[in-house]
Structures are given as structure tokens and as C-alpha cells.
Amino acid sequence: ATWANLGLQDSSSPLMEQLNFFHDHTLLILTMITILVGYIMGMLMFNKFTNRYLLHGQTIEIIWTVLPAIILMFIAFPSLRLLYLMDEINTPSITLKSIGHQWYWSYEYSDFLNLEFDSYMVPTNELETNGFRLLDVDNRVVLPMNNQIRILVTATDVLHSWTVPSLGVKVDATPGRLNQINFLINRPGLFFGQCSEICGANHSFM
């Protein structure tokens, strides 16, 4: 993410790349629909044509019923494909368990014995000069690149949501329930995310 960035973040996983493409694809369709409808409405406002004998137009009514249905299919099929791809669980190389608390995350590397830690946001007054305000934490999660990673997400108190936009990952953390998601990181980097479910006073600080 950069300052004043209006678009989506650069993708760091194949799924986010596909989501970016789907966003652009849908936006193009919406732009074309908006231009067409705007043009027709403009023409209706400003022309002086009349037809005293026009009672019905079967052909045009069939066209403007069928055409939107076909356009919707061009949005629905890629969308469904992506939904199924995001739900697919491949054989994970590593499993990370993420537990939401008010207002910090706990992490457990389930494949190793006794490897768990808490991750708190660094307060602005303790931040180093090159730190990222409201994003940096005291203990970062380290994950391997080009490996299937499984994240198990839950919470201990209220609803939270574990989110990393550049990986295309957003999972609700619900008390008493374990949600899982799969992803693959295809480039090295430092990726940030924030809790995306309103969870109380310090929601903006986890």
C-alpha cells in the first residue's frame, strides 16, 4: 500500500492476483453499462422524437431482458470459479493457528512443540523511525514462500477478523469456532493487515 492509493494493493499470492483481475473485469462491465444507460437517458431527455402509434415492442423487450441476463453470467461464472478456488484446501506444508483477543493476536505454530507468542501493535510513542504507524507489531509472524500455508483462526472473547489484503485473505475469528483458510505467498516481503471486524474500543489498534 502507498499513500493516496485508490486501487487494490499489489498481489503477493496467486489468489489475490486472480481477485485483482476479477475486480478489473467487473469494473469494465459496470463502466460499459453505465455509459450505455447514461447515453440512452441523455438521448431521452434531449430528443424530440414521438411515435403516436407505438403500443408495444416485443423484440426490444426480449432483447433488454435477455441481454442483462447474459451480462450477469459473464460476472457470475468467474466469481463462482474464484469462490471455489478460495475454498480449496491443498496439502499444507505448515499450519499457523491465530487466536484473536481484545486487542491483540496470539499465534501457535502447530507443527512445532511449544512455539507460541502474542503479537501486540507497537504504540506510536514507542515506534522506531522506520516503523509503520498503527501497523507494526512487537512479534511478527514469519511464513515460508512458495509453500501451501494453512491458517486456523479463532477468538477467545468477541468477533475478530484476520486480514492480509495483499494475500487476499480475510477470515472471521469466532469464539468457539475454528475457521481455516489456505494460501501461498509467491514473493518475499513484509505484509500488513488489520482486524476487519469491529471488536470494541481498541479495534483500530490490532
Side-chain angles (χ1 to χ4, degrees):
T2 53
W3 298 114
N5 182 17
L6 294 176
L8 298 166
Q9 291 183 20
D10 289 345
S11 65
S12 309
S13 75
L15 266 180
M16 188 57 198
E17 199 172 312
Q18 290 295 313
L19 284 166
N20 267 331
F21 290 150
F22 177 65
H23 170 268
D24 296 344
H25 166 78
T26 312
L27 202 63
L28 196 67
I29 292 173
L30 288 178
T31 308
M32 291 192 302
I33 292 169
T34 309
I35 290 167
L36 178 68
V37 173
Y39 172 74
I40 291 169
M41 286 173 71
M43 290 300 289
L44 279 173
M45 297 280 186
F46 297 114
N47 72 40
K48 300 281 192 295
F49 300 142
T50 55
N51 185 341
R52 291 163 60 202
Y53 305 108
L54 181 66
L55 297 174
H56 62 82
Q58 293 286 334
T59 316
I60 191 69
E61 284 178 16
I62 288 169
I63 290 168
W64 73 40
T65 306
V66 171
L67 201 64
I70 293 168
I71 291 170
L72 281 176
M73 282 162 67
F74 274 98
I75 297 174
F77 287 134
S79 170
L80 284 168
R81 172 183 159 271
L82 259 178
L83 274 173
Y84 280 102
L85 274 175
M86 289 171 78
D87 257 358
E88 191 153 328
I89 297 296
N90 303 300
T91 313
S93 310
I94 188 169
T95 299
L96 175 72
K97 188 175 182 187
S98 172
I99 304 160
H101 307 268
Q102 284 179 312
W103 287 273
Y104 64 96
W105 294 98
S106 299
Y107 294 102
E108 298 172 11
Y109 285 84
S110 315
D111 304 297
F112 308 98
L113 293 172
N114 301 324
L115 185 48
E116 48 188 78
F117 57 88
D118 294 337
S119 180
Y120 289 86
M121 180 182 283
V122 180
T124 309
N125 57 345
E126 293 174 24
L127 205 58
E128 291 179 20
T129 321
N130 59 351
F132 293 87
R133 183 178 163 272
L134 298 185
L135 288 172
D136 241 327
V137 291
D138 55 359
N139 291 311
R140 289 174 177 166
V141 170
V142 180
L143 291 169
M145 195 178 97
N146 292 330
N147 279 286
Q148 285 295 337
I149 298 156
R150 172 174 57 192
I151 302 258
L152 302 173
V153 184
T154 186
T156 54
D157 35 47
V158 296
L159 290 176
H160 299 281
S161 186
W162 197 87
T163 310
V164 183
S166 58
L167 298 175
V169 174
K170 181 177 280 191
V171 202
D172 278 356
T174 314
R177 183 186 173 93
L178 205 60
N179 289 328
Q180 78 168 357
I181 199 160
N182 228 53
F183 62 88
L184 180 139
I185 303 170
N186 61 6
R187 66 188 177 99
L190 181 59
F191 309 119
F192 291 112
Q194 292 164 303
C195 178
S196 296
E197 190 72 62
I198 299 198
C199 57
N202 289 343
H203 162 66
S204 349
F205 307 102
M206 66 178 287

